[in-house]
Amino acid sequence: MATRTDAPTRREQILKEAARLFAERGFHGVGVDEIGAAVGISGPGLYRHFPGKDAMLAELLVGISGQLLTGAKRRLAEADGVPATRILDSLIEGHIDFALDDRPLITLHDRELDRLRDSDRKLVRQLQRQYVELWVEVVRAVYPGLTEPAARSAVHSVFGLLNSTPHLGRAGTLPGRGTTAALLHRMARGAFEAAGEE
């Protein structure tokens, strides 16, 4: 995943390629042989790492929701005594990193979440709610005039903006990563400021 800086494990390589292929062709449009070929092992060899495609999908979607929540908690813990505006900027930066580096997972979530078992889907939703509530608390600290429901709506709207990255075009057709990240950051802060003016 994008949060790791060391060499990915075989399991992580499989998940990355599965996410890419599922996002490109849909969950049912990809076989285990194709995923295996993408990482240089036989399709049946995948079963040493995962019981099947369903398990890969669950680990991808539950995993990224957990990573976002863990990353946000870490940013909050590291920001003790820091002004709320800087904490909000840090949360925005973390979500932009996800939105730019894990674009296939956004597509996968939009298209395939309903394919998860009920228990996995409920876990994804639970992790996402916790993530949203962390943001709501920070947004209300920056814009104290916002009611809780308004702040929650603003957070969801900003997520919609940031998670639009799969629709920006192929990676090679975008301006540089830094330019795109800065644009997304300005737009996210602008959206929160507009919400805070009410």
Side-chain angles (χ1 to χ4, degrees):
M1 297 286 163
T3 55
R4 289 183 60 98
T5 56
D6 51 344
T9 65
R10 174 66 76 180
R11 188 177 179 87
E12 290 167 334
Q13 291 171 344
I14 292 167
L15 287 172
K16 181 178 179 180
E17 289 305 315
R20 180 183 65 79
L21 290 167
F22 292 160
E24 287 175 3
R25 300 207 301 272
F27 180 74
H28 288 302
V30 178
V32 292
D33 290 337
E34 294 168 272
I35 298 168
V39 295
I41 61 177
S42 69
L46 287 179
Y47 294 112
R48 286 195 295 268
H49 302 277
F50 296 95
K53 288 195 317 177
D54 290 337
M56 290 179 215
L57 181 63
E59 187 159 333
L60 285 164
L61 295 182
V62 172
I64 194 58
S65 297
Q67 285 178 31
L68 286 169
L69 178 59
T70 299
K73 286 181 176 178
R74 178 184 45 78
R75 287 171 181 272
L76 290 173
E78 291 171 352
D80 190 30
V82 172
T85 53
R86 287 193 33 212
I87 298 173
L88 181 57
D89 283 334
S90 179
L91 289 175
I92 293 170
E93 288 163 10
H95 199 94
I96 288 171
D97 285 343
F98 156 68
L100 291 176
D101 298 338
D102 290 313
R103 293 166 68 189
L105 290 177
I106 297 172
T107 301
L108 199 57
H109 180 277
D110 289 345
R111 290 184 189 162
E112 311 290 356
L113 181 64
D114 288 342
R115 296 194 191 285
L116 293 182
R117 293 180 310 174
D118 286 346
S119 59
D120 290 327
R121 189 168 54 252
K122 286 177 184 174
L123 180 55
V124 168
R125 293 297 190 199
Q126 178 186 10
L127 293 167
Q128 290 173 340
R129 279 193 299 274
Q130 292 175 40
Y131 182 60
V132 167
E133 293 312 309
L134 289 178
W135 279 69
V136 168
E137 185 177 331
V138 173
V139 168
R140 292 192 73 206
V142 177
Y143 304 102
L146 274 180
T147 65
E148 193 172 298
R152 193 171 292 110
S153 293
V155 168
H156 280 291
S157 297
V158 167
F159 288 171
L161 167 72
L162 298 179
N163 291 348
S164 68
T165 54
H167 308 291
L168 297 179
R170 293 188 319 274
T173 65
L174 299 176
R177 189 189 188 286
T179 301
T180 303
L183 173 63
L184 290 170
H185 197 117
R186 287 194 307 273
M187 293 175 71
R189 281 304 300 270
F192 283 130
E193 286 168 17
E197 288 173 0
E198 294 195 7

